[in-house]
Amino acid sequence: QLDAAPNPAGSDGPFLTLQRAQDEVRKLKAAGQLGAGVTIQVRAGLYQLPRTLALGPEDSGTQEAPIVYQAYPGERPILTGARAVNGFKPYQGKILQADVAAQGLKGVAFKQLFFSGRRQILARTPNFDPRNPYGGGWAYVDGKLVSMYGDQPGDDKRKLVYKAGDVPEMARPTEAEVFIFPRYNWWNNCVRVASVDRAAHTLTLTADCSYAIRPGDRYYLRNVFEALDSPGEWYLDQQAGTLYFWPPKKITRDSVTASALSHLLQMKDAAYVTFQGFVMEGCDQTGLLLQGCRHCTIAGNTIRNTVGVW
């Protein structure tokens, strides 16, 4: 057992990272020294994960010797996959720019940006309406309305006919994504644009939506640099490694963060492992991904600023 704080000689005390603690558990297991199990208590603080914390069979416990990762009593450690972005400079009007390639995010195509812990808006059109967040901020597919319950001639899951003025000129149209509720309005899709036909007012998408795209379906375009025109919006130029951001308030050091990991915790074929008492945040997909696990427990955690992906 390690002490909760370093001793004066520095020869004992807590490990710095969860990965180091994980390595120690593996050593104990390989040596047959799990005893009645192992508990890893994590002190309060911000733990910036350098990579997804991946656990497999070699990290498993047993019914008699479970492995428990938990917050130190009375404390709340934060596990994050986000990286701070600093060094913002003026770009145009109230829009700032920052070199993210030089800040550990080179080649990272992040889709989540946070300001003071709140998710910001990937540049979109129509703009997000904070006064009507669900019913406002939509464009609507052009055409004559038809009954949603019968198939129609020409039904297409990739063709979207837009109204004049709803789709701006875009220098990089194939980066744009259509966020749409097709046909029944009960299931949304987010699909990239393959091409734009200005003469026919038509967007062709790179993949099928769940249902045919019908006149009157609500949608918006996002990841469009030309649509960055309101507070909270941002756009990442992946080629240049440059982030453009219109902050809603004054930026302070480390107040802007970007997700750098897909998942925070991934467990595959693990057994008798518990994670309890953490705050988990800041990733581009699901915070926790469990596959083929048995008798594993995720309890008493706060999971925020992640993205559910089917």
Side-chain angles (χ1 to χ4, degrees):
Q1 178 175 339
L2 299 178
D3 288 339
N7 62 20
S11 59
D12 190 16
F15 297 129
L16 182 62
T17 68
L18 270 75
Q19 283 85 358
R20 177 64 183 87
Q22 178 189 24
D23 290 342
E24 194 67 20
V25 173
R26 289 179 175 180
K27 291 177 183 178
L28 293 173
K29 183 176 180 179
Q33 298 177 353
L34 286 184
V38 176
T39 297
I40 300 95
Q41 293 185 329
V42 183
R43 301 302 304 261
L46 181 67
Y47 294 83
Q48 189 180 85
L49 300 181
R51 60 186 180 278
T52 299
L53 184 62
L55 279 71
E58 64 272 31
D59 302 292
S60 295
T62 66
Q63 185 174 4
E64 297 75 21
I67 308 300
V68 178
Y69 292 81
Q70 66 179 203
Y72 193 82
E75 298 184 2
R76 200 68 165 165
I78 300 172
L79 310 183
T80 182
R83 305 286 183 270
V85 178
N86 293 295
F88 282 92
K89 300 177 182 179
Y91 170 68
Q92 187 178 82
K94 295 183 179 181
I95 300 173
L96 308 179
Q97 63 179 351
D99 182 353
V100 295
Q103 301 184 60
L105 289 164
K106 184 177 182 179
V108 179
F110 56 84
K111 284 292 185 66
Q112 304 294 313
L113 189 78
F114 309 101
F115 179 69
S116 296
R118 297 182 66 87
R119 181 182 287 111
Q120 300 301 287
I121 303 164
L122 185 57
R124 56 171 279 182
T125 182
N127 285 333
F128 173 73
D129 184 354
R131 296 167 300 179
N132 189 9
Y134 298 109
W138 300 98
Y140 296 88
V141 178
D142 199 14
K144 183 179 179 181
L145 300 181
V146 296
S147 171
M148 70 171 65
Y149 294 109
D151 292 340
Q152 301 292 328
D155 266 350
D156 197 309
K157 296 182 179 180
R158 296 195 184 196
K159 299 286 187 182
L160 186 157
V161 179
Y162 61 87
K163 298 177 183 178
D166 282 351
V167 175
E169 293 286 346
M170 297 178 285
R172 298 176 180 174
T174 57
E175 286 187 356
E177 298 172 338
V178 172
F179 186 105
I180 185 170
F181 282 81
R183 186 168 175 173
Y184 297 104
N185 280 299
W186 61 34
W187 184 268
N188 65 291
N189 301 117
C190 189
V191 187
R192 290 187 68 169
V193 173
S195 63
V196 182
D197 186 334
R198 289 284 172 188
H201 288 184
T202 300
L203 300 175
T204 300
L205 308 183
T206 58
D208 288 349
C209 292
S210 299
Y211 308 101
I213 299 172
R214 293 283 186 81
D217 288 344
R218 67 192 192 272
Y219 75 95
Y220 62 81
L221 277 174
R222 72 174 195 174
N223 201 36
V224 177
F225 181 57
E226 291 80 2
L228 205 173
D229 60 2
S230 63
E233 288 194 330
W234 64 276
Y235 170 82
L236 173 65
D237 184 336
Q238 297 180 28
Q239 298 177 17
T242 302
L243 169 66
Y244 297 90
F245 180 41
W246 182 335
K249 296 181 181 179
K250 184 178 179 180
I251 288 177
T252 57
R253 182 164 182 79
D254 296 344
S255 62
V256 178
T257 58
S259 54
L261 300 180
S262 296
H263 311 287
L264 299 173
L265 172 64
Q266 184 169 0
M267 298 168 61
K268 186 173 183 179
D269 300 326
Y272 294 99
V273 178
T274 293
F275 275 82
Q276 186 171 10
F278 295 94
V279 175
M280 303 181 183
E281 64 180 22
C283 64
D284 264 346
Q285 295 186 29
T286 46
L288 295 84
L289 180 62
L290 278 67
Q291 300 167 298
C293 295
R294 297 176 296 109
H295 304 287
C296 290
T297 302
I298 309 295
N301 303 285
T302 297
I303 303 171
R304 64 192 183 196
N305 287 341
T306 67
V307 180
V309 177
W310 287 85

